[in-house]
Amino acid sequence: MKRLTAWVAGVCTAVLCAALTAALPHQAAAATLTEVTGFGANPGNLRMHVYAPDNRPARPAIVLAMHGCGGSGPGLYSGSEFASLADRYGFVVVYPSASKKGNCFDSWSAESHVRGGGSDPVSLMSMITYTLERFGGDAGRVFVTGTSAGGMETNIMLGNYPDVFKAGAVFMGVPHSCFANEADYIPSPGASDCASGRVSRTPQQWGDLVRAAYPGYTGARPRVQLWHGTNDTLVYYATLQQQIDQWTNVFGLSQTPTSTDTPQANWNRRRYADSTGTVKVEAYGIQGAGHSLPSSGMAAAAIQFFGLTDSGPTSTPTPPTGACRVTYTPSTWNNGFTAAVTIANTGPADVNGWTLAWAWPGNQRITNAWNATATQQGAQVTARNAPYNATVAAGAAVTFGFQATYSGTNTAPAQFALNGTACSPAA
């Protein structure tokens, strides 16, 4: 079977990552992705980058965000929505870069499975400690998230350091201590027993692995949000249930959800609440999705789960609601069309870095784009700025285009969101 070169969508090439890193300054600066050296004990030989938005409170929350195999911290910064969400809600994002097995975070070694054992988790904790001190962070609002290898490491950090993290969001992960050793950590479809969901344990046994990471710990546990695509052929969908079994057992909850719903099309959510109604575990099965999460809107859902949307910065975010307008102009032929999309910034402040998201009402599918990078998962589309048109000045506009296919009726999207904020469609 053909070996995959990466475990996560959005990974940049080695040349691009090197170019990004080379362009970064080595001293901390607000609103700039900044590399930090000398951040503390670093047995995992990781690199650290930080994004601290200009608009943040005196004691900001901290989010540790980890890439997948083959990726980098700068790659996740440029290929995800966490930085734009940080601008909106005023938290600081730590982007580590892994160095093992083609840039994968270590979730397979015995050292990584226990608190203070060494390897990558200890390096990651050094980054958290540094960031709390450097930016005066709120130690009661530290969170962790990651995709694929980063999602696996998210479960590791939640189990090893439950007293540090308030909550975590895991995209395409596996349970804590799922890998028996490095030999099973194989980034190829079906090759790994753990990643293929073939490790058979009861909820109690899965839970015991978390409890063994910090023996004797009796304090509060971080809440957990889990995401997985039903068509993931690299880290199989079966691992989602294993993670549910693990964390519900850790919380002493039933494996039967207390509620189920579909908050968006193809997002099937199960929630597991305690006797007070507090949701401790939340699991999303994304219908039809492969190994490609998070897609549009999912990072925002994670930040909302963390509670960071309720206590953002006091000044007006950019862009505020209603401060943008989208003009969508399609040109249709038999089973195909092109479209020009103009984003007008009608607000008082510049938009620095933009992501435009929408959902198709039909079966439209984008085949290529210009002046933007467009990705599609099911009906959800995300278009991100090119390097040369990232800034949309107040009162100005930017236009990009794409080509797509369809069958039936080519109905225009009903609404758009710019950097997660609803945008008014032009009449």
Side-chain angles (χ1 to χ4, degrees), residues 89-114:
Y89 298 114
F91 56 86
V92 175
V93 189
V94 178
Y95 295 98
S97 295
S99 63
K100 300 177 179 64
K101 293 181 71 71
N103 294 355
C104 303
F105 290 101
D106 176 11
S107 58
W108 60 80
S109 72
E111 292 83 1
S112 73
H113 292 172
V114 294

Side-chain angles (χ1 to χ4, degrees), residues 354-356 358 366 368-376 381-389 400-401:
W354 53 266
T355 298
L356 188 71
W358 69 88
I366 290 179
N368 61 80
W370 46 92
N371 296 332
T373 300
T375 57
Q376 183 170 347
V381 178
T382 302
R384 294 184 174 88
N385 62 267
Y388 51 81
N389 63 2
F400 68 93

Side-chain angles (χ1 to χ4, degrees), residues 63-152:
V63 175
L64 176 66
M66 294 179 283
H67 63 78
C69 282
S72 69
L76 185 63
Y77 163 79
S78 63
S80 69
E81 298 172 334
F82 290 109
S84 62
L85 291 164
D87 286 331
R88 188 168 310 116
Y89 298 114
F91 56 86
V92 175
V93 189
V94 178
Y95 295 98
S97 295
S99 63
K100 300 177 179 64
K101 293 181 71 71
N103 294 355
C104 303
F105 290 101
D106 176 11
S107 58
W108 60 80
S109 72
E111 292 83 1
S112 73
H113 292 172
V114 294
R115 179 187 183 90
S119 193
D120 292 1
V122 169
S123 298
L124 295 167
M125 272 307 307
S126 294
M127 296 181 190
I128 293 295
T129 301
Y130 171 91
T131 306
L132 285 169
E133 294 175 354
R134 167 65 180 80
F135 296 97
D138 185 349
R141 294 191 301 149
V142 179
F143 306 90
V144 58
T145 187
T147 179
S148 193
M152 299 169 188

Side-chain angles (χ1 to χ4, degrees), residues 221-306:
R221 294 277 180 178
R223 298 164 60 243
V224 184
Q225 186 185 66
L226 306 166
W227 297 79
H228 223 104
T230 59
N231 289 357
D232 194 330
T233 58
L234 187 56
V235 181
Y236 287 15
Y237 183 63
T239 63
L240 176 61
Q241 185 60 53
Q242 292 174 337
Q243 294 172 82
I244 293 170
D245 290 348
Q246 182 169 72
W247 289 112
T248 53
N249 180 264
V250 168
F251 281 109
L253 302 174
S254 168
Q255 281 73 58
T256 301
T258 52
S259 67
T260 61
D261 65 349
T262 306
Q264 291 193 31
N266 301 318
W267 291 18
N268 298 317
R269 180 170 62 180
R270 289 170 278 174
R271 286 176 151 177
Y272 304 81
D274 63 15
S275 58
T276 70
T278 301
V279 175
K280 298 294 189 180
V281 180
E282 182 175 86
Y284 287 83
I286 309 303
Q287 190 66 39
H291 199 71
S292 57
L293 308 183
S295 56
S296 178
M298 294 179 184
I303 296 305
Q304 183 178 38
F305 181 78
F306 294 167

Side-chain angles (χ1 to χ4, degrees), residues 326-330 337 339-342 358 360 364 402 410-413 416 426:
V326 172
T327 302
Y328 177 85
T329 308
F337 68 103
V341 183
T342 299
W358 69 88
W360 291 120
Q364 297 94 331
F402 61 84
N410 186 21
T411 305
F416 298 86

